[in-house]
Amino acid sequence: MQFGRYYEEFEVGAVYKHWPGKTVTEYDDHLFCLLTMNHHPLHLDANYAEETTEFKRNVVVGNYVYSLVLGMSVPDVSGKAIANLEIESLRHTKPTFHGDTIYAETEVLDKTESKSKDDRGIVYVESRGYKQDGTVVCTFRRKVMVPKRSYGDARGGEQPGRPVPTT
């Protein structure tokens, strides 16, 4: 199974539909909030959300949704990355609620060979996260430095560092 892509495998205009989706639970949201010390009641306090917000229920913290979409893209986009160079933009366009299922896709916007090293290049992509009804909830653009096949071959191929079992 392929994990990530080499520079040569990216095509401008290609769209990678990441699979599977992830249903966001209250536990997921609360754990992420607590791990990141985001104690805003919009995410943690059901009474607050019901009494004081237009949604009348907790909203999943946006950074979790972003992290989820980013993580979903790794097997298709950055699984072989040398470095994530830049997040150019991040937009949360609609709320996500407990019980929503997030799906994601990434479009290749551009690619540029490295000027300083001939074994890598920069891939510019836009990832979109959307709910089970197709509503886009999160969009971001990023630049990823990915190796060319020669880089991978020089370091062990598809699964570098994988040990060989001994008998």
Side-chain angles (χ1 to χ4, degrees):
M1 183 165 121
Q2 182 170 319
F3 191 72
R5 286 179 164 77
Y6 289 112
Y7 179 80
E8 296 91 340
E9 297 174 293
F10 286 95
E11 292 183 32
V12 174
V15 176
Y16 308 120
K17 296 179 183 290
H18 314 306
W19 184 257
K22 167 75 170 92
T23 301
V24 179
T25 67
E26 181 177 22
Y27 175 81
D28 297 332
D29 185 33
H30 287 193
L31 181 60
F32 190 88
C33 286
L34 294 171
L35 286 171
T36 59
M37 297 182 66
N38 180 344
H39 302 135
H40 195 291
L42 175 64
H43 309 302
L44 298 172
D45 184 332
N47 184 63
Y48 169 88
E50 184 178 341
E51 297 293 325
T52 68
T53 73
E54 66 181 284
F55 305 114
K56 304 296 183 202
R57 56 187 166 155
N58 292 123
V59 174
V60 175
V61 65
N63 282 337
Y64 176 66
V65 176
Y66 158 71
S67 296
L68 191 57
V69 173
L70 179 65
M72 291 169 135
S73 76
V74 170
D76 293 313
V77 177
S78 56
K80 287 183 173 49
I82 297 169
N84 280 296
L85 299 176
E86 174 182 346
I87 301 296
E88 180 183 278
S89 62
L90 170 60
R91 292 181 302 132
H92 296 285
T93 52
K94 296 286 182 180
T96 300
F97 302 105
H98 303 150
D100 281 339
T101 301
I102 300 298
Y103 295 92
E105 64 183 33
T106 299
E107 180 178 357
V108 180
L109 303 176
D110 198 9
K111 63 186 251 187
T112 309
E113 292 194 35
S114 172
K115 291 175 181 57
S116 60
K117 295 187 178 183
D118 65 359
D119 64 353
R120 63 195 69 190
I122 310 293
V123 179
Y124 180 48
V125 297
E126 179 177 88
S127 296
R128 295 175 286 278
Y130 52 96
K131 299 197 288 192
Q132 63 279 354
D133 64 0
T135 302
V136 175
V137 295
C138 177
T139 303
F140 59 93
R141 291 182 173 194
R142 65 184 172 132
K143 292 180 180 173
V144 184
M145 180 184 293
V146 294
K148 290 185 177 178
R149 187 168 299 283
S150 61
Y151 178 100
D153 290 346
R155 288 165 177 77
E158 282 298 313
Q159 297 181 355
R162 182 181 179 130
V164 176
T166 58
T167 55

